[in-house]
Amino acid sequence: MDGFFYDNEPYSEEANKLEFAVNNAIRFFQNQDFESSIIYIEQAISICEANEISIPNLYLMKAYSELRVGKYSDALTSINTEIQKFPHNTKAYDLKKDIEIYARKS
């Protein structure tokens, strides 16, 4: 599947759900409410996986949020997924180093 968004077609219900989840994830992330952000990121990931699409930085945002709430193991899993899906994302490698440092300190 190439994605949800086509120029001549209205948004599908799934596309609306994905847009809602991503927008809320970003809003909570920007407000540094990382627990709430994780909830919406996970919803977006679930929709993406069900429809075989990927959104860059979604797992990176999840990893950063997990890091900020002290879920280091989850953060490492998320950042590794971002790196696997988007191996050219240099921000992911930088965040992975930070996560590893925090995980060693805990």
Side-chain angles (χ1 to χ4, degrees), residues 7-18:
D7 290 336
N8 297 325
E9 296 181 25
Y11 279 178
S12 69
E13 184 178 339
E14 284 290 291
N16 287 331
K17 288 178 184 177
L18 179 58

Side-chain angles (χ1 to χ4, degrees), residues 5 12 15 19 33 58 72 90 100 104:
F5 309 104
S12 69
E19 183 177 14
D33 181 351
L58 199 55
Y72 306 123
T90 58
E100 290 170 340
R104 280 193 296 268

